[in-house]
C-alpha cells in the first residue's frame, strides 16, 4: 500500500518550461519504476499500470492494486524492437509481418516467452507472453527511462471500465500506486487487439484498436475467437482475461438491438416504468439517435456518432463511467454496427451487459 500517489503532468502545453517539466516528470517516474514501484502511464489506447516485467515484487503490486485474479496474464510493453529479443522467442513469419505493419500501434501479439527473463506472475503460468509496442511518445519515453520492459494491464480496478483519462486512474487507484503520468486523454479509447498466430491463422483473442479487416489486409486467414470460447477448456488458443466480467459501470447495463426508431421507443417506455418505481435510469446512444431521447427520464450519454466509429470508441469508457456519477441503477445501451472498430465496441458492451441483451424484432 502506497499512501501518496504522485501525479506528473507531462502534457505538451504551451507553457514556458513545458519541455523541462515533461523531462523531469518522466525521469522521476522512470526512477520509481526501476525501484520496483507501480506507475500508471498513457498509451494511445487506454492508460496502463506499469511495473518492471522482470520483477515479481513489482508485478505483485500491480495485481494487488487492481484486485486482478492471478490467472490473468499481463501485456508486456516495449519501446524498441531490440527489446523483443529479451523476452520472446523469434516470431513466426506472420507475427513478424504484423509487427512490421502495425507496430508501434494498438496490436498485442502473443509469442513464445523467454520465461527466465520475465516474472512468472506476468505470464500467469503460460508458456507465452503478450507483447505490444505502444504508439504514444510518452509511453515510449517512459519505457526508455525505466530501462526495462513494462508489464502493463489497463490502469483500472479489475472489472471497471478502462481509464482513458488520468482522472479515471486517480479515481480507481489513488493511494494504491506510486504515481500517474498524466498525458491527457488517450486517442483510440479501447484496448489493443490481442492476437496469436497458430497454424498460419491469426486468431483474434480480443478485438480492439486494429480491426479484423485490417488484419485481413495482411493475411488471408483471420479468425475471431468467440468470447465464450474463453471458458471452453477445449477451445484454443484463448485469452484468459476474456472469461471475466469487465468494463462495467456500477448499474446493470442492458444492450438493446433493433431498428433505431423501435429501439428508442422500447428503451424510453421501459425506462419510464423503472423511473416511476423510483429507479435511476440511463441511456447510451449516438449523435444520430440522440433526439429520440428528449423525453428520457434519466441521464442520456451521447457517445460519438454512427458515422464516425472512432469517436464512439474514444468516448465509450468515459460515458460508462459517467453513468456512475449519476448513480444510474439501470442503463440501456443501443447496439452499435459491428464492422471495423465497431466489433470492439460491441465486444465491450456485451461484456458490460453480462447476458442482458434484448433484440427488438
Ligand atoms: O491497450 C491495451 O492492451 C492496454 C494498454 C495499457 O496497453 N492494456 C490492456 O491490458 O488492456 P489488460 O491486462 O487489461 O488486458 C490484457 C489481455 C487480457 O485479456 C489477458 O488475458 C490477455 O491480454 N493476455 C495477456 N497475456 C496473454 C497470453 N500470454 N496469452 C493470451 N492472452 C493473454
Ligand atoms: Mg483491462
Amino acid at each position: 500500500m502506497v499512501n501518496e500517489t504522485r501525479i506528473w503532468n507531462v502534457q505538451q502545453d504551451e507553457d514556458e518550461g513545458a519541455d523541462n517539466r515533461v523531462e523531469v516528470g518522466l525521469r522521476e517516474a522512470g526512477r520509481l519504476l526501476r525501484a520496483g514501484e507501480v506507475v500508471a502511464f498513457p498509451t494511445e489506447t487506454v492508460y496502463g499500470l506499469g511495473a518492471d516485467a522482470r520483477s515479481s515484487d513489482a508485478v505483485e503490486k500491480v495485481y494487488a492494486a487492481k484486485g486482478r485474479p492471478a490467472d490473468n496474464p499481463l501485456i508486456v510493453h516495449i519501446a524498441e524492437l531490440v527489446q523483443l529479443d529479451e523476452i520472446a522467442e523469434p516470431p513466426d513469419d506472420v507475427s513478424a509481418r504484423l509487427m512490421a505493419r502495425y507496430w508501434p500501434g494498438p496490436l498485442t501479439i502473443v509469442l513464445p516467452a523467454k520465461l527466465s527473463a520475465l516474472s512468472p506472475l506476468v505470464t500467469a503460468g503460460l508458456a507465452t507472453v503478450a507483447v505490444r509496442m505502444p504508439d504514444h511518445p510518452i509511453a515510449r519515453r517512459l519505457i526508455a527511462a525505466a530501462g526495462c520492459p513494462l508489464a502493463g494491464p489497463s490502469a483500472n480496478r479489475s472489472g471497471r471500465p478502462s481509464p482513458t483519462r488520468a482522472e479515471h486512474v486517480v479515481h480507481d487507484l489513488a493511494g494504491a500506486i506510486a504515481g500517474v503520468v498524466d498525458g491527457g486523454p488517450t486517442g483510440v479509447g479501447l484496448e489493443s487487439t490481442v492476437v496469436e498466430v497458430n497454424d498460419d491463422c491469426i486468431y483474434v483473442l480480443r478485438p480492439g484498436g486494429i480491426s479484423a479487416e485490417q488484419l485481413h489486409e495482411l493475411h488471408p486467414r483471420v479468425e475471431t475467437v468467440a468470447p465464450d470460447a474463453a471458458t471452453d477448456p477445449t477451445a484454443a488458443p484463448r485469452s484468459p482475461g476474456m472469461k471475466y466480467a469487465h468494463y462495467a459501470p456500477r448499474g446493470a447495463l442492458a444492450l438493446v438491438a433493433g431498428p433505431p426508431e423501435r429501439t428508442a421507443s422500447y428503451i424510453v417506455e421501459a425506462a419510464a416504468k423503472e423511473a416511476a418505481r423510483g429507479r435511476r435510469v440511463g441511456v447510451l446512444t449516438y449523435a444520430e439517435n440522440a433526439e429520440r431521447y428528449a423525453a428520457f427520464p434519466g441521464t442520456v450519454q451521447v457517445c460519438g456518432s454512427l458515422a464516425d466509429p472512432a469517436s464512439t470508441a474514444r468516448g465509450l469508457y468515459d460515458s460508462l463511467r459517467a453513468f456512475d456519477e449519476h448513480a444510474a441503477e439501470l442503463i440501456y445501451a443501443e447496439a452499435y454496427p459491428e464492422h471495423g472498430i465497431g466489433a470492439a465496441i460491441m465486444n465491450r458492451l456485451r461484456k458490460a451487459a453480462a447476458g442482458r441483451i434484448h433484440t427488438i424484432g
Side-chain angles (χ1 to χ4, degrees):
M1 189 71 188
V2 178
N3 292 315
E4 194 205 342
T5 298
R6 305 270 319 262
I7 298 172
W8 301 277
N9 174 9
V10 298
Q11 294 176 73
Q12 282 291 2
D13 301 331
E14 296 303 307
D15 60 301
E16 215 179 304
D19 288 351
N20 188 51
R21 171 168 53 71
V22 173
E23 185 64 40
V24 169
L26 289 175
R27 202 185 311 136
E28 286 181 6
R31 185 179 53 75
L32 283 172
L33 285 165
R34 271 200 309 282
E37 294 299 335
V38 173
V39 170
F41 63 98
T43 78
E44 80 279 28
T45 57
V46 301
Y47 274 75
L49 199 54
D52 182 345
R54 305 163 307 183
S55 157
S56 288
D57 275 356
V59 175
E60 168 69 35
K61 292 178 191 167
V62 170
Y63 281 95
K66 275 184 72 78
R68 183 173 175 117
D71 67 347
N72 192 3
L74 308 181
I75 292 174
V76 178
H77 297 72
I78 58 175
E80 301 294 338
L81 217 43
V82 292
Q83 285 183 291
L84 182 65
D85 192 43
E86 241 180 84
I87 57 174
E89 297 298 338
D92 60 276
D93 271 8
V94 177
S95 295
R97 285 169 53 222
L98 285 171
M99 289 170 197
R101 175 77 168 262
Y102 292 117
W103 277 7
L107 180 69
T108 295
I109 306 177
V110 175
L111 296 166
K114 284 190 179 154
L115 291 173
S116 60
L118 292 163
S119 157
L121 297 175
V122 168
T123 51
L126 299 176
T128 52
V129 58
V131 188
R132 143 164 156 79
M133 187 191 291
D135 186 17
H136 193 295
I138 293 295
R140 308 266 293 282
R141 282 175 67 182
L142 181 68
I143 298 166
C148 58
L150 290 184
S154 49
N156 50 286
R157 287 280 304 169
S158 219
R160 301 268 301 139
S162 296
T164 53
R165 300 170 180 279
E167 302 87 84
H168 297 160
V169 181
V170 171
H171 179 275
D172 280 16
L173 298 172
I177 59 176
V180 181
V181 176
D182 180 357
T186 59
V188 178
L190 297 179
E191 298 84 345
S192 63
T193 302
V194 180
V195 299
E196 181 169 1
V197 177
N198 237 304
D199 298 331
D200 200 42
C201 179
I202 302 175
Y203 288 92
V204 178
L205 308 185
R206 178 180 72 181
I210 298 289
S211 67
E213 291 86 340
Q214 284 172 296
L215 298 172
H216 211 265
E217 282 170 23
L218 191 107
H219 190 69
R221 293 190 58 211
V222 179
E223 268 182 45
T224 298
V225 178
D228 46 356
T231 51
D232 174 358
T234 62
R238 57 189 188 274
S239 183
M242 296 310 278
K243 69 173 179 274
Y244 292 107
H246 258 94
Y247 318 116
R250 290 191 217 287
L253 182 145
L255 188 54
V256 188
E261 186 80 36
R262 307 211 16 224
T263 299
S265 47
Y266 169 90
I267 290 176
V268 172
E269 208 171 295
K273 276 189 204 140
E274 296 293 343
R277 294 164 49 200
R279 306 190 72 185
R280 296 176 71 101
V281 293
V283 63
L284 180 76
T285 183
Y286 316 106
E288 290 85 344
N289 298 339
E291 65 184 23
R292 300 181 208 272
Y293 295 96
F296 188 80
T299 177
V300 180
Q301 290 293 318
V302 182
C303 183
S305 75
L306 296 165
D308 179 11
S311 69
T312 299
R314 203 180 307 123
L316 184 66
Y317 290 142
D318 208 32
S319 292
L320 294 182
R321 282 175 179 261
F323 288 119
D324 291 347
E325 276 152 41
H326 290 90
E329 297 161 274
L330 272 174
I331 298 148
Y332 303 87
E334 290 184 344
Y336 201 90
E338 269 185 87
H339 27 82
I341 199 165
I345 293 169
M346 280 296 280
N347 170 274
R348 305 310 189 263
L349 286 175
R350 278 201 193 90
K351 294 233 123 203
R356 291 176 293 266
I357 299 176
H358 305 294
T359 305
I360 315 294

